[in-house]
C-alpha cells in the first residue's frame, strides 16, 4: 500500500472507532435526561453537559444502556460467527436479554421473546412498531457493510425485523447506515446535509425544518431531533449537548447523534472528559470491535467480498 492509502485507511478506522464510541458517549450522557422535558432539564442542570449517570435508571457515571449494549452484542456476534449470520445476532440478543440488562425496550423484548419461543427471525409487520429500537443499534451494521450499499440495505432490514417490522423504521435504518458510510469515508457536514435533504424529499414525514421539537422514541421524532442538532452545530460536543438537553428519549437520540457526529468529526472530536468517564469495560472493547468491523467490510477486502 502506498503511504497516502495507509493514511486514508487510518482515517477511516479513526472515524469508525469514533462512531462506535460516539454511540456509547451519547447513551451515557443522554441517559441522565431521558424522559425529562427541556424545561425540567434547565431547572435541574442549567445545561446538562457532563457524564454523571443517574437519571430514571439510576446509573453509575459512564454506564451505558440498551442502545450501546445491543450494538456491542451484535458486533460481537458478527465477529464471533465470522460473518453476517442473523441467527447468531438473534442468539446474541437473547443472551443479552438473559443477562438482565439495565433497560430494554418493550418492542425489542417482544421480538427477542418471539425468537426464543418460536425461533422466528422476523416479527410480523406492524404500523405500531415505529420505535427507534432497530435504528439505535445500526453502528455495527454500517461499519461491517462499508463500501457496499446493497449489503447495507439487506442487513439493516434483516436485523431490524428481529424486533421492528415497519417501513418507517426500515427507511431510517437504511438511510442512517448510508450517512455513517459517507461520514466515515470523509464526507463533510454540508455533504451529509444534502443527503439528508434528499432523503427528506423522498420521505417527507422525516422533514426536520422547522424542527417540530418532539424527541420521543417514535423513529420519526428521533430522526428529526438528531438531524436538527447535527446540522445546527459544528462539533461533536455541541451536537451531543444540544441533543440530550432536548430530553425525551435522550439516551437514544444521544447515541444516534454520537454515531453520526463521531463518524464525522473523528476521535479527536470526542471530549476527553467524557471519554475518561465512560465505563472502562465499554471503552476497552468498543474501539477494537469497530476496527474489526471495518477491517472485514467489503471496502477492506474488495477481492473477497462478503456474501450477501
Ligand atoms: Mn437506552
Ligand atoms: Mn432510550
Amino acid at each position: 500500500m502506498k503511504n497516502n492509502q495507509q493514511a486514508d485507511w487510518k482515517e477511516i478506522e479513526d472515524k469508525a472507532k469514533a462512531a462506535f464510541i460516539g454511540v456509547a458517549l451519547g447513551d451515557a450522557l443522554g441517559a441522565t435526561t431521558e424522559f425529562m422535558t427541556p424545561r425540567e432539564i434547565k431547572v435541574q442542570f442549567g445545561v446538562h453537559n457532563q457524564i454523571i449517570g443517574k437519571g430514571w435508571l439510576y446509573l453509575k457515571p459512564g454506564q451505558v444502556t440498551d442502545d450501546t449494549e445491543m450494538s456491542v452484542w451484535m458486533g460481537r456476534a458478527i465477529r464471533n460467527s465470522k460473518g453476517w449470520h442473523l441467527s447468531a445476532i438473534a442468539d446474541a440478543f437473547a443472551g443479552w436479554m438473559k443477562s438482565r440488562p439495565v433497560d430494554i425496550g418493550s418492542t425489542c423484548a417482544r421480538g427477542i421473546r418471539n425468537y426464543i419461543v418460536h425461533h422466528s427471525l422476523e416479527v410480523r409487520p406492524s404500523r405500531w412498531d415505529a420505535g427507534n429500537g432497530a435504528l439505535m443499534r445500526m453502528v455495527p451494521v454500517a461499519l461491517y457493510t462499508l463500501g457496499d450499499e446493497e449489503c447495507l440495505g439487506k442487513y439493516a432490514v434483516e436485523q431490524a425485523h428481529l424486533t421492528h417490522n415497519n417501513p418507517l423504521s426500515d427507511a431510517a435504518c437504511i438511510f442512517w447506515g448510508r450517512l455513517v458510510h459517507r461520514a466515515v469515508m470523509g464526507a463533510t457536514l454540508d455533504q451529509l446535509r444534502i443527503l439528508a435533504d434528499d432523503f427528506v424529499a423522498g420521505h417527507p414525514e422525516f422533514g426536520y425544518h422547522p424542527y417540530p421539537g418532539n424527541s420521543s422514541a417514535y423513529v420519526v421524532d428521533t430522526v428529526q431531533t438528531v438531524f436538527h442538532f447535527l446540522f445546527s452545530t459544528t462539533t461533536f460536543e455541541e451536537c451531543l449537548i444540544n441533543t440530550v438537553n432536548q430530553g425525551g428519549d435522550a439516551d437514544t437520540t444521544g447515541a444516534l447523534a454520537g454515531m453520526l457526529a463521531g463518524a464525522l468529526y473523528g476521535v479527536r472530536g470526542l471530549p476527553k472528559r467524557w471519554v475518561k468517564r465512560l465505563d472502562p469495560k465499554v471503552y476497552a472493547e468498543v474501539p477494537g470491535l469497530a476496527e474489526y468491523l471495518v477491517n472485514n467490510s467489503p471496502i477492506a477486502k474488495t477481492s473477497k467480498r462478503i456474501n450477501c
Side-chain angles (χ1 to χ4, degrees):
M1 238 193 256
K2 285 181 198 155
N3 279 339
N4 60 341
Q5 276 175 314
Q6 266 167 1
D8 288 348
W9 188 254
K10 281 280 156 234
E11 193 62 22
I12 289 170
E13 279 184 332
D14 177 277
K15 291 186 164 203
K17 282 184 210 171
F20 215 143
I21 301 166
V23 169
L25 291 176
D27 185 3
L29 182 73
T32 307
T33 54
E34 192 181 15
F35 300 135
M36 293 176 77
T37 66
R39 207 188 152 76
E40 288 166 345
I41 296 167
K42 206 165 184 189
V43 168
Q44 191 168 336
F45 300 102
V47 176
H48 171 54
N49 60 11
Q50 305 290 351
I51 292 185
I52 55 169
K54 298 214 174 80
W56 74 282
L57 293 168
Y58 221 77
L59 302 170
K60 292 180 221 123
Q63 194 177 346
V64 297
T65 73
D66 49 348
D67 313 68
T68 306
E69 287 169 352
M70 292 191 92
S71 306
V72 166
W73 285 70
M74 192 197 307
R76 286 182 196 151
I78 296 169
R79 187 191 58 204
N80 297 345
S81 72
K82 297 189 172 57
W84 184 264
H85 304 287
L86 195 59
S87 58
I89 293 165
D91 283 334
F93 287 170
W96 169 69
M97 191 160 88
K98 286 172 189 161
S99 79
R100 300 166 54 106
V102 64
D103 190 23
I104 182 165
S106 57
T107 311
C108 285
R110 198 192 50 196
I112 296 167
R113 247 181 265 121
N114 178 58
Y115 171 71
I116 294 171
V117 176
H118 304 292
H119 308 288
S120 165
L121 292 170
E122 186 172 39
V123 294
R124 276 188 204 157
S126 167
R127 57 183 292 217
W128 305 111
D129 292 353
N132 55 24
L135 178 62
M136 72 185 190
R137 57 185 191 233
M138 272 298 296
V139 73
V141 185
L143 300 184
Y144 187 61
T145 59
L146 194 64
D148 190 333
E149 287 210 355
E150 245 176 82
C151 260
L152 164 67
K154 184 166 181 280
Y155 296 172
V157 170
E158 279 183 11
Q159 72 80 19
H161 287 194
L162 289 170
T163 55
H164 295 65
N165 189 345
N166 177 280
L168 287 169
S169 164
D170 290 355
C173 288
I174 296 167
F175 184 62
W176 214 266
R178 213 169 276 168
L179 283 177
V180 172
H181 279 186
R182 300 297 277 268
V184 167
M185 295 306 291
T188 63
L189 183 63
D190 283 337
Q191 288 169 329
L192 295 190
R193 187 188 291 124
I194 292 167
L195 287 173
D197 290 344
D198 275 356
F199 172 71
V200 168
H203 298 83
E205 56 275 61
F206 288 97
Y208 61 97
H209 196 78
Y211 173 50
N214 307 317
S215 50
S216 82
Y218 175 45
V219 71
V220 171
D221 291 347
T222 302
V223 169
Q224 286 170 333
T225 298
V226 180
F227 282 177
H228 171 70
F229 290 115
L230 181 73
F231 296 126
S232 59
T233 56
T234 53
T235 66
F236 181 93
E237 181 174 354
E238 194 190 0
C239 172
L240 266 73
I241 290 173
N242 291 4
T243 302
V244 303
N245 279 273
Q246 188 66 27
D249 194 6
D251 64 324
T252 306
T253 56
L256 285 161
M259 194 193 310
L260 291 181
L264 186 61
Y265 301 116
V267 170
R268 67 187 80 82
L270 309 175
K272 287 197 179 67
R273 71 180 195 282
W274 290 353
V275 174
K276 273 190 205 148
R277 270 297 171 109
L278 192 59
D279 180 340
K281 278 192 194 147
V282 173
Y283 190 56
E285 179 171 14
V286 158
L289 206 45
E291 216 173 312
Y292 173 86
L293 292 167
V294 284
N295 277 289
N296 289 276
S297 71
I299 206 163
K301 22 158 100 175
T302 38
S303 55
K304 189 182 152 197
R305 294 173 72 83
I306 54 176
N307 210 1
C308 81

